[in-house]
Every structure is written in structure tokens, then in C-alpha cells.
Amino acid sequence: MSQKSKANIAFLLAIIMVLCMIPLSAVKVTADPEGSYKCGETAYWQFDGNGTAVISGTGILDWNVNGTVKWNETEVKTATVGEGITQVGSNFFQGCENMTSVSLPDSLERIGYASFMVSGLTELDIPDNVTYVGMSAFKDCVDIVKVV
């Protein structure tokens, strides 16, 4: 065996030894719920078969997180955002022109910039915990007739 081969094997063994020293508790693995797609660090969405986007998880809804899979805006008819979601991120529902309603959780605290811009919402119930609504959040939502 050549000196170069021995050095390569020694290097690989050293890497394996270092990796084995990392405790499993330090490795964070988050599995997507079955049939779901990522839409934030710890948030997921799926369609229910009737055009409703069902969103679950925790934290911020954000298409800019690695690994997210965005829906086709024209397919969203309604949306149900589950408890644990604290923020609708910027531009999240933007362009969902066929979405006439959205159910927002009591855990929601922030609605980001242009979150619902050019959506087809007709009515909106904003939870009491919402303390921030970003600029243009509902811009060009011409069908809204009631905000609670």
C-alpha cells in the first residue's frame, strides 16, 4: 500500500472518529408530516383535496427558507392556518386570487409585508393577538367587504 493511500485512509478514519463524538441530541432532524411540504423552518402545508391549504407547525410562514415547496397560487381556494403559527411572512399568500377565506389561529402575532396582496379574500377575522400588520398586507384585495 502506498504512502498516499495510507494517508487518505488515516484522514477518513479521523473524520469518522470526529463525527462519532457528536452526541445525537445535537443533531436536529425534523421530518415533514406525511404528504406535507415545507413552508417555513417548522411549518408545513398540504391540500385537503378541496382546494384548502391546511398549514400546521410552529413559527413563521416563510417561502425563503431552504427546502420550502411553494404551491400554485391559483389552486388555493381557502386556507386554514393551525395553532402554533406566529407570523404570516412577507408575500406568503400574495397572488392567491382564488382564495376567498383564511382561518387564522389565536397564536398569530404578526402579518408581514404584502402577505395577502392581490388575494381574493372577501372576509377576514384578525385574531386579537396580532400586534403588527405590515405595509401593503392587504393591498389590492378588492373583494374584502368585512374585517373583524
Side-chain angles (χ1 to χ4, degrees):
M1 187 179 284
S2 74
Q3 199 65 355
K4 188 175 181 179
S5 294
K6 288 180 184 179
N8 286 340
I9 290 171
F11 178 73
L12 288 173
L13 287 174
I15 289 175
I16 290 170
M17 289 173 50
V18 168
L19 291 175
C20 288
M21 291 190 292
I22 298 172
L24 287 178
S25 60
V27 179
K28 183 179 178 185
V29 177
T30 305
D32 295 354
E34 189 173 328
S36 301
Y37 302 96
K38 195 169 184 176
C39 60
E41 284 292 331
T42 54
Y44 304 91
W45 71 270
Q46 62 184 348
F47 279 120
D48 72 352
N50 297 317
T52 298
V54 179
I55 300 169
S56 60
T58 58
I60 301 170
L61 301 180
D62 184 0
W63 294 125
N64 295 315
V65 172
N66 284 339
T68 59
V69 178
K70 192 167 182 188
W71 53 50
N72 178 340
E73 289 91 351
T74 61
E75 293 180 14
V76 181
K77 308 288 186 247
T78 62
T80 301
V81 181
E83 278 300 323
I85 300 299
T86 57
Q87 180 175 334
V88 177
S90 296
N91 309 100
F92 193 79
F93 289 105
Q94 181 179 3
C96 292
E97 295 177 359
N98 296 322
M99 184 178 72
T100 57
S101 67
V102 62
S103 172
L104 300 173
D106 289 335
S107 59
L108 192 70
E109 299 169 355
R110 297 175 62 90
I111 297 174
Y113 170 81
S115 295
F116 294 93
M117 186 172 167
V118 194
S119 70
L121 291 175
T122 57
E123 189 173 312
L124 183 65
D125 186 356
I126 299 176
D128 292 339
N129 288 337
V130 173
T131 58
Y132 174 84
V133 177
M135 188 170 64
S136 301
F138 300 99
K139 183 178 180 185
D140 296 327
C141 293
V142 296
D143 296 324
I144 291 183
V145 293
K146 183 177 179 185
V147 177
V148 181

